């Protein structure tokens, strides 16, 4: 899998972005714990991604992953700063 990701010019956000520097668990059930849910992105997405957070368990064995990205070209006219967009 790692070779396919690299060959396609993709990057894994898990363990490599602010908020998930340690590569937190993404799957929890009575049989065990694991990191089986990943966020992949291309180079443009990598540069726009500010953070990755692993959320709390909801109604699934899989934990929610939240990615914070900088919206391309979005500027807050009142503040003159770039707006941020969060994708769940």
């Amino acid at each position: 899998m790692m070779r396919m990701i690299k060959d396609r010019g993709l990057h894994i956000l898990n363990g490599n972005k602010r908020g998930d520097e340690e590569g937190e668990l993404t799957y929890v059930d009575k049989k065990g714990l694991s990191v089986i849910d990943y966020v992949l992105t291309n180079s443009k997405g990598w540069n726009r991604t500010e953070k990755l957070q692993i959320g709390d368990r909801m109604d699934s064995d899989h934990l929610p992953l939240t990615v914070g990205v900088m919206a391309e070209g979005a500027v807050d006219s009142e503040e003159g700063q770039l707006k941020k967009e969060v994708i769940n």
Side-chain angles (χ1 to χ4, degrees):
M1 183 171 107
M2 296 302 291
R3 175 169 280 163
M4 180 218 42
I5 290 168
K6 183 178 178 180
D7 289 349
R8 287 167 175 74
L10 299 174
H11 308 275
I12 298 174
L13 297 181
N14 302 60
N16 294 305
K17 286 292 180 174
R18 184 172 55 91
D20 186 43
E21 295 86 355
E22 300 297 321
E24 295 179 39
L25 298 169
T26 62
Y27 180 80
V28 179
D29 78 354
K30 60 185 174 189
K31 295 179 186 175
L33 312 169
S34 185
V35 178
I36 61 171
D37 301 294
Y38 294 92
V39 179
L40 300 177
T41 186
N42 60 17
S43 294
K44 185 175 180 180
W46 175 266
N47 292 330
R48 291 178 51 200
T49 301
E50 294 190 330
K51 65 181 177 178
L52 170 65
Q53 293 182 305
I54 311 302
D56 295 325
R57 187 173 176 169
M58 303 290 275
D59 296 326
S60 173
D61 297 336
H62 299 268
L63 303 177
L65 284 67
T66 303
V67 179
V69 297
M70 186 68 64
E72 186 174 10
V75 177
D76 184 338
S77 58
E78 293 179 21
E79 306 260 337
Q81 299 198 8
L82 293 174
K83 290 182 181 179
K84 297 178 183 176
E85 176 182 353
V86 175
I87 301 172
N88 287 319

